[in-house]
């Protein structure tokens, strides 16, 4: 057994998570801390190419380099271990604000037969795959009895509202991609483990709707600035210049910042 690759890989993961723990800001690829990390990954590449491309993808994600991230994903998929590659890039795509791409990977991972459902369902829902998670719950609970202890009430309530309003996960993905664009423009990732917080709003004289917020560990003024940019993009790029029926999204100030598992 070769111990060096696993040891080096673990050290790289620890370093990545420490960088994220320090700040939710996107980093510059050329700053010394990142360059030192990349050099360590190149050493890993000599003995475990798949793992190295996954880690390079993680670094590209926290630097907001979307083209590099997708290129490393394609390279990693050429090596054995496709299942873990998809699971790890699911997180990285979300960190970079590529939510539709994360949804695409999530659809594959959420198939209960593949064994990843318990590990990723919360993250997938936070990236907008509410119906995907809801539709697989019956089979998933039969496959993984431990899920009976989990609280899916918010997911199921949100899914019901979505079906009534004719809203799809893809509709959410399109809006979230605009939010990812805003995040990269302002140089900040979401704060915490998951991409968004899901709420159901029930106005007294109107139909209920889904309100999803992406938490940020920034000042209120900074969050307001990002929401203004989001509003501009919604007007410019979405049909009718408005959110899809049944959905409202915004950035919000995070109450508590927790470690995001970028690697």
């Amino acid at each position: 057994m070769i111990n060096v690759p696993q040891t080096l890989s673990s050290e790289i993961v620890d370093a990545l998570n420490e960088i994220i723990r320090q700040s939710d800001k996107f980093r510059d690829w050329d700053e010394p801390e990142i360059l030192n990390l990349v050099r360590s990954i190149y050493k890993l590449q000599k003995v475990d190419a798949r793992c190295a491309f996954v880690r390079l993808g993680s670094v590209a994600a926290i630097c907001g380099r979307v083209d590099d991230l997708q290129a490393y994903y394609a390279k990693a998929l050429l090596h054995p271990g496709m299942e873990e590659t998809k699971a790890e890039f699911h997180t990285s795509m979300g960190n970079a604000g590529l939510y539709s791409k994360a949804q695409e990977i999530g659809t594959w991972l959420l198939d209960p037969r593949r064994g990843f459902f318990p590990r990723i369902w919360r993250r997938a829902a936070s990236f907008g795959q509410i119906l995907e998670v809801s539709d697989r719950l019956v089979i998933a609970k039969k496959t993984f009895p431990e899920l009976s202890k989990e609280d899916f009430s918010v997911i199921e309530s949100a899914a019901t509202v979505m079906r009534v309003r004719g809203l799809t996960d893809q509709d959410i993905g399109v809006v979230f991609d605009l939010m990812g664009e805003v995040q990269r423009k302002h140089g900040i990732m979401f704060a915490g483990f998951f991409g968004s917080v899901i709420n159901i709003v029930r106005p007294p004289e109107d139909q209920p709707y889904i309100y999803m917020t992406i938490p940020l560990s920034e000042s209120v003024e900074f969050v307001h600035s990002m929401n203004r940019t989001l509003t501009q993009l919604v007007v410019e790029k979405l049909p009718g210049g408005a959110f899809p029926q049944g959905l409202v999204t915004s950035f919000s100030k995070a109450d508590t910042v927790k470690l995001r598992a970028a690697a």
Side-chain angles (χ1 to χ4, degrees), residues 62-132:
I62 66 174
C63 291
R65 294 166 67 108
V66 297
D67 291 340
D68 289 340
L69 171 58
Q70 296 193 80
Y72 290 133
Y73 178 51
K75 291 178 180 178
L77 287 175
L78 297 176
H79 298 272
M82 177 185 67
E83 295 81 3
E84 277 299 322
T85 292
K86 285 180 176 288
E88 291 166 307
F89 272 94
H90 185 244
T91 301
S92 293
M93 294 295 178
N95 283 347
L98 299 181
Y99 296 107
S100 287
K101 188 64 178 180
Q103 284 191 356
E104 177 186 321
I105 298 170
T107 296
W108 192 92
L109 291 169
L110 285 168
D111 185 335
R113 295 171 299 178
R114 296 196 166 100
F116 289 93
F117 190 97
R119 174 174 159 186
I120 74 145
W121 71 267
R122 293 180 185 83
R123 187 166 71 242
S126 79
F127 291 163
Q129 291 195 278
I130 296 171
L131 290 179
E132 191 78 43

Side-chain angles (χ1 to χ4, degrees), residues 123-144:
R123 187 166 71 242
S126 79
F127 291 163
Q129 291 195 278
I130 296 171
L131 290 179
E132 191 78 43
V133 171
S134 176
D135 289 344
R136 299 197 185 262
L137 268 181
V138 172
I139 296 176
K141 287 181 177 180
K142 291 179 179 178
T143 307
F144 308 102

Side-chain angles (χ1 to χ4, degrees), residues 190-203:
F190 58 82
F193 283 106
F194 307 119
S196 72
V197 178
I198 304 168
N199 298 281
I200 299 96
V201 180
R202 303 181 186 277

Side-chain angles (χ1 to χ4, degrees), residues 9-210:
S9 177
S10 298
E11 291 174 354
I12 291 168
V13 170
D14 290 343
L16 276 164
N17 284 332
E18 179 58 31
I19 288 172
I20 293 168
R21 187 180 294 112
Q22 293 168 3
S23 173
D24 294 312
K25 294 283 190 182
F26 281 119
R27 307 299 291 264
D28 186 336
W29 186 277
D30 294 321
E31 60 185 84
E33 189 175 20
I34 297 298
L35 290 176
N36 287 336
L37 186 56
V38 170
R39 280 192 283 269
S40 296
I41 296 173
Y42 286 154
K43 294 178 182 178
L44 176 63
Q45 188 173 4
K46 297 176 182 178
V47 289
D48 191 336
R50 187 204 72 86
C51 187
F53 287 129
V54 168
R55 304 305 168 219
L56 286 169
S58 297
V59 176
I62 66 174
C63 291
R65 294 166 67 108
V66 297
D67 291 340
D68 289 340
L69 171 58
Q70 296 193 80
Y72 290 133
Y73 178 51
K75 291 178 180 178
L77 287 175
L78 297 176
H79 298 272
M82 177 185 67
E83 295 81 3
E84 277 299 322
T85 292
K86 285 180 176 288
E88 291 166 307
F89 272 94
H90 185 244
T91 301
S92 293
M93 294 295 178
N95 283 347
L98 299 181
Y99 296 107
S100 287
K101 188 64 178 180
Q103 284 191 356
E104 177 186 321
I105 298 170
T107 296
W108 192 92
L109 291 169
L110 285 168
D111 185 335
R113 295 171 299 178
R114 296 196 166 100
F116 289 93
F117 190 97
R119 174 174 159 186
I120 74 145
W121 71 267
R122 293 180 185 83
R123 187 166 71 242
S126 79
F127 291 163
Q129 291 195 278
I130 296 171
L131 290 179
E132 191 78 43
V133 171
S134 176
D135 289 344
R136 299 197 185 262
L137 268 181
V138 172
I139 296 176
K141 287 181 177 180
K142 291 179 179 178
T143 307
F144 308 102
E146 67 271 20
L147 290 177
S148 62
K149 300 177 182 178
E150 301 286 356
D151 182 5
F152 292 96
S153 59
V154 172
I155 300 298
E156 293 179 301
S157 295
T160 297
V161 171
M162 290 177 66
R163 293 184 184 105
V164 170
R165 301 301 298 268
L167 185 67
T168 68
D169 291 346
Q170 291 71 30
D171 292 329
I172 298 175
V174 169
V175 176
F176 270 31
D177 280 346
L178 294 184
M179 298 182 82
E181 187 176 332
V182 176
Q183 288 174 263
R184 293 189 297 275
K185 180 177 181 179
H186 286 75
I188 188 169
M189 297 178 281
F190 58 82
F193 283 106
F194 307 119
S196 72
V197 178
I198 304 168
N199 298 281
I200 299 96
V201 180
R202 303 181 186 277
E205 298 181 358
D206 201 355
Q207 296 185 71
Y209 63 89
I210 308 300

